[in-house]
């Protein structure tokens, strides 16, 4: 036990010890020699205690200190107290590390910790099973020497870990892994590898199913639509009920044909392997062509449509996809804005890059619908959508096109005041600018 004023007792003992030898020196009439002998004895005793302390610290297996008295007793007790405190801390840290390892071993994903030089520091059991890592023999080896897929190496060294990457397993090419890297601490990275084989297979099956069904339905639908087109010419005096049925069948057939065309467009975009940075698009020239189609669609709506286009700006992209995205936004504004409205189309250069926007003064959209507008077949007003003949896939097509071009559709709207649909590309997407 440490006492704050124990040093006073130790100093008093030292003074008494020296006084004792001074008295002996006075008695034998050689005080200097007696005090020197006392100091020498005191020095030898302290050196002996230092020797015992060194032997206890480095050679003794006992945790408890040897029995001593005086000032050295407090020194031994202080060291013993620090040893016990450090021992308890080591136990707590050991228990914490053990719980961490048990928890990481229970993770459903493979986890690997690497340092700033890509050297492996630790990995869990699934990383050893799924990625082929060996522990502890692979400790200190570079991760990019063990997972050698070119796409993974490029992703790992690029340092842009905002999005995961999906590549085949290093052990089984039939498996697909989603790799996600998260920096933590000052110089460490945590790699999480998740088996997404089943999800990839289901997504491929869905894409193939939609594409195949849409393609197979288009031929019989074209035949039906062809016969419906020639029926009125065969007999002008149709029964009113038959005539109504014919008109309804024609309308629904055209609507279904439009739906199939949109599904095919969506399937082509999802399956597209074309690289965005291999082509450039003159957006102003393309939008001038879309303007001709918009004017034709606007004949019955009588909207005032104005295009505000900045010429001479070419961006990296796929023209067919961007044309589909922009025309969908413009045609939606024409179809869903009440007759005689105002529609403005903008293509402009901003400080951050370039911006495309379609603004109208229509009825607007409630806030609760905005987050779901890009879902397939989602409709704000089903009756109104049937009236306009929409397929419910237009904004979904826009979403997939923009995802392919590293952008995102943004919507601002107020009920009764109108809506604005826009997207932006950063400066890296600009190929040239006059």
């Amino acid at each position: 036990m440490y006492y704050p004023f124990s040093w006073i007792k130790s100093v008093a003992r030292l003074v008494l010890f020296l006084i004792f030898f001074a008295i002996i020196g006075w008695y034998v009439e050689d005080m200097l020699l007696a005090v020197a002998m006392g100091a020498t004895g005191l020095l030898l005793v302290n050196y002996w205690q230092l020797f015992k302390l060194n032997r206890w610290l480095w050679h003794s297996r006992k945790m408890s200190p040897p029995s001593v008295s005086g000032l050295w007793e407090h020194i031994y007790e202080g060291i013993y107290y620090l040893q016990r405190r450090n021992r308890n801390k080591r136990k707590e840290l050991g228990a914490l590390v053990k719980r961490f390892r048990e928890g990481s071993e229970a993770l459903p994903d493979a986890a690997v910790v690497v340092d700033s030089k890509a050297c492996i520091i630790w990995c869990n059991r699934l990383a050893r099973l799924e990625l082929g890592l060996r522990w502890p023999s692979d400790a200190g080896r570079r991760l990019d020497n063990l997972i050698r897929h070119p796409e993974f190496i490029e992703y790992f060294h690029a340092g842009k870990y905002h999005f995961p990457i999906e590549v085949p397993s290093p052990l089984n090419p039939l498996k697909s892994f989603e790799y996600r890297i998260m920096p933590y601490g000052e110089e460490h990275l945590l790699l999480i590898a998740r088996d997404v084989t089943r999800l990839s297979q289901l997504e491929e099956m869905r894409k193939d199913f939609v594409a195949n069904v849409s393609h197979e339905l288009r031929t019989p639908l074209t035949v039906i639509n062809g016969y419906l087109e020639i029926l009125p010419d065969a007999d002008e005096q149709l029964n009113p009920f038959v005539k109504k049925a014919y008109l309804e069948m024609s309308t629904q057939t055209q609507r279904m044909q439009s739906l199939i065309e949109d599904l095919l467009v969506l399937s082509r975009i999802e399956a597209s392997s074309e690289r965005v940075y291999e082509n450039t698009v003159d957006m102003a020239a393309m939008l001038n062509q879309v303007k001709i189609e918009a004017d034709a669609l606007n004949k019955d709506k009588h909207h005032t449509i104005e295009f505000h286009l900045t010429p001479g700006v070419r961006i990296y992209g796929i023209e067919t996809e961007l044309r589909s995205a922009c025309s969908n936004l413009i045609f939606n504004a024409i179809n869903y804005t009440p007759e005689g409205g105002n529609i403005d189309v903008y293509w402009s250069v901003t400080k951050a890059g370039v911006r495309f926007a379609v603004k109208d003064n229509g009825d607007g959209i409630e806030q609760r619908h905005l987050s779901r507008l890009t879902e397939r077949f989602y409709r704000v007003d089903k009756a109104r959508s049937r009236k306009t003949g929409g397929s419910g896939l237009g904004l979904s097509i826009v979403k997939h096109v923009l995802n392919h071009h590293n952008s995102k559709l943004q919507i601002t709207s107020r009920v009764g005041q109108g809506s604005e649909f826009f997207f932006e590309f950063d400066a890296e997407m600009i190929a040239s600018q006059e």
Side-chain angles (χ1 to χ4, degrees):
M1 180 66 68
Y2 173 72
Y3 297 100
F5 300 102
S6 59
W7 64 273
I8 298 177
K9 186 177 180 181
S10 300
V11 170
R13 285 181 177 179
L14 177 62
V15 171
L16 291 175
F17 181 80
L18 294 176
I19 291 174
F20 173 74
F21 276 92
I23 293 173
I24 293 177
W26 176 76
Y27 182 75
V28 298
E29 297 181 353
D30 195 348
M31 186 178 295
L32 182 62
L33 177 63
V35 172
M37 291 178 62
T40 302
L42 183 63
L43 185 62
L44 291 174
V45 170
N46 284 321
Y47 265 106
W48 172 247
Q49 295 293 349
L50 285 173
F51 173 75
K52 289 176 63 178
L53 176 63
N54 179 72
R55 187 174 59 181
W56 175 59
L57 290 176
W58 293 100
H59 303 289
S60 177
R61 295 183 179 180
K62 294 182 179 180
M63 183 70 180
S64 57
S67 299
V68 292
S69 60
L71 181 63
W72 286 98
E73 180 181 4
H74 301 297
I75 294 174
Y76 277 104
E77 286 183 355
I79 296 173
Y80 181 53
Y81 169 75
L82 292 176
Q83 284 183 334
R84 284 187 302 171
R85 188 172 66 177
N86 291 335
R87 187 177 184 182
N88 292 333
K89 285 185 176 180
R90 286 197 300 269
K91 285 183 179 180
E92 292 176 1
L93 290 174
L96 182 62
V97 170
K98 184 179 179 181
R99 288 197 299 270
F100 167 76
R101 287 184 175 177
E102 290 175 350
S104 59
E105 294 293 344
L107 286 173
D109 303 323
V112 184
V113 176
V114 298
D115 60 15
S116 59
K117 298 180 180 179
C119 297
I120 298 175
I121 297 176
W122 172 86
C123 64
N124 68 349
R125 182 176 60 88
L126 274 180
R128 300 191 290 272
L129 295 176
E130 300 287 2
L131 304 181
L133 302 182
R134 298 178 180 178
W135 188 259
S137 58
D138 283 339
R141 296 187 61 184
R142 290 181 61 90
L143 181 65
D144 49 358
N145 289 337
L146 301 175
I147 303 177
R148 303 187 60 84
H149 196 280
E151 291 184 18
F152 173 79
I153 294 175
E154 181 182 357
Y155 170 73
F156 184 82
H157 290 288
K160 298 179 180 179
Y161 306 132
H162 304 293
F163 302 99
I165 185 175
E166 187 175 323
V167 296
S169 165
L171 297 182
N172 186 356
L174 299 179
K175 283 187 175 183
S176 295
F177 278 0
E178 180 188 80
Y179 292 96
R180 185 181 294 273
I181 297 177
M182 291 156 285
Y184 77 96
E186 294 183 357
E187 298 181 345
H188 293 85
L189 300 173
L190 174 63
L191 169 71
I192 299 293
R194 176 172 296 178
D195 189 351
V196 293
T197 307
R198 182 61 177 166
L199 294 176
S200 300
Q201 291 174 347
L202 290 174
E203 183 66 16
E204 289 298 324
M205 289 172 60
R206 182 191 64 79
K207 291 179 181 178
D208 293 342
F209 174 78
V210 172
N212 293 334
V213 169
S214 302
H215 182 75
E216 293 300 326
L217 284 176
R218 186 164 60 171
T219 301
L221 199 62
T222 302
V223 174
I224 294 172
N225 196 37
Y227 279 110
L228 286 173
E229 288 178 354
I230 64 173
L231 276 178
D233 297 333
D235 188 359
E236 294 293 338
Q237 304 296 325
L238 289 175
N239 184 293
F241 176 78
V242 176
K243 190 171 184 179
K244 181 180 178 181
Y246 158 74
L247 292 174
E248 187 65 25
M249 285 190 295
S250 298
T251 302
Q252 295 302 323
T253 303
Q254 292 174 2
R255 182 184 172 198
M256 191 172 180
Q257 197 162 16
S258 175
L259 174 62
I260 290 173
E261 292 296 333
D262 285 345
L263 282 171
L264 287 172
V265 170
L266 196 55
S267 298
R268 282 196 296 268
I269 293 171
E270 288 182 333
S272 176
S273 59
E274 194 172 357
R275 294 181 178 272
V276 171
Y277 292 97
E278 292 178 354
N279 305 285
T280 62
V281 183
D282 187 342
M283 287 289 289
M286 183 198 72
L287 290 171
N288 280 322
Q289 296 176 2
V290 176
K291 182 178 183 298
I292 298 172
E293 301 173 10
D295 290 336
L297 182 64
N298 187 44
K299 286 183 179 179
D300 297 332
K301 294 288 187 176
H302 308 292
H303 298 312
T304 301
I305 305 178
E306 294 186 9
F307 280 70
H308 312 272
L309 308 179
T310 301
V313 180
R314 298 187 69 88
I315 65 169
Y316 292 106
I318 303 169
E319 183 169 353
T320 54
E321 294 185 6
L322 290 173
R323 181 189 180 96
S324 179
C326 295
S327 60
N328 266 299
L329 294 177
I330 295 171
F331 296 165
N332 277 355
I334 295 173
N335 288 327
Y336 292 103
T337 301
E339 187 173 340
N342 295 319
I343 299 173
D344 291 285
V345 179
Y346 298 91
W347 170 250
S348 56
V349 179
T350 64
K351 292 182 179 179
V354 285
R355 184 177 188 267
F356 175 82
V358 178
K359 190 173 182 180
D360 63 64
N361 63 343
D363 296 332
I365 306 167
E366 295 181 16
Q367 292 294 320
R368 61 190 178 93
H369 295 296
L370 296 183
S371 61
R372 300 191 60 189
L373 284 180
T374 55
E375 294 180 11
R376 299 185 185 197
F377 305 110
Y378 182 79
R379 301 180 185 277
V380 176
D381 187 342
K382 295 182 179 180
R384 186 181 174 193
S385 297
R386 292 194 193 98
K387 185 178 179 181
T388 57
S391 65
L393 291 172
L395 292 182
S396 184
I397 291 173
V398 175
K399 173 188 174 183
H400 281 80
V401 169
L402 296 181
N403 283 343
H404 195 193
H405 289 75
N406 298 326
S407 186
K408 180 181 179 182
L409 178 64
Q410 302 182 62
I411 307 168
T412 58
S413 182
R414 289 187 178 181
V415 177
Q417 297 184 20
S419 306
E420 182 180 14
F421 293 75
F422 64 95
F423 58 85
E424 298 174 338
F425 295 129
D426 57 28
E428 293 182 358
M429 290 288 288
I430 300 177
S432 62
Q433 181 179 352
E434 296 178 3

